[in-house]
């Protein structure tokens, strides 16, 4: 059982990539279109993180935000901070 636990924890040390972006458009259900520029400019879909919802931090178009990109789909992310 210890070997199974160790193998499960090995993949957990990978942290998601964080990037800065600018809110372009507000969509329903606390989802936003965000313009990011890592290598080239592109627009992704991002939703508000749970802590930001809990503390009722408002985000409007034009705001700079910090986003965690999804490991599986690089066109989606989570807004974790307003800058």
């Amino acid at each position: 059982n210890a070997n199974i636990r160790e193998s499960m924890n090995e993949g957990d040390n990978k942290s998601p990539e964080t990037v800065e972006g600018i809110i372009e458009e507000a969509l329903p259900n606390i989802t936003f279109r965000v313009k990011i520029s890592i290598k080239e400019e592109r627009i992704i879909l991002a939703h508000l993180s749970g802590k930001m919802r809990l503390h009722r931090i408002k985000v409007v178009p034009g705001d700079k935000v910090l986003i965690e990109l999804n490991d599986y789909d690089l066109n989606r992310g989570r807004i974790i901070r307003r800058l």
Side-chain angles (χ1 to χ4, degrees):
N1 288 341
N3 291 337
I4 294 172
R5 262 188 257 126
E6 287 175 12
S7 65
M8 288 175 63
N9 290 334
E10 285 177 5
D12 293 343
N13 59 2
K14 194 168 74 169
S15 62
E17 184 179 357
T18 58
V19 294
E20 287 186 16
I22 298 174
I23 303 288
E24 289 291 312
E25 180 183 2
L27 301 171
N29 297 329
I30 313 175
T31 306
F32 300 90
R33 288 195 201 282
V34 183
K35 186 195 306 181
I36 61 171
S37 56
I38 299 174
K39 295 173 184 146
E40 74 274 346
E41 273 193 9
R42 64 179 189 194
I43 295 182
I44 66 166
L45 280 177
H47 65 273
L48 216 52
S49 71
K51 287 280 186 178
M52 289 186 73
R53 289 182 191 185
L54 186 69
H55 296 291
R56 296 190 178 157
I57 296 173
K58 303 296 180 196
V59 178
V60 295
D63 283 351
K64 282 181 112 177
V65 291
L66 191 64
I67 299 171
E68 279 184 352
L69 290 179
N70 189 340
D71 293 335
Y72 304 107
D73 183 6
L74 295 177
N75 292 323
R76 293 187 173 268
R78 178 185 312 125
I79 301 171
I80 56 172
R81 172 175 274 172
R82 192 172 129 211
L83 302 174

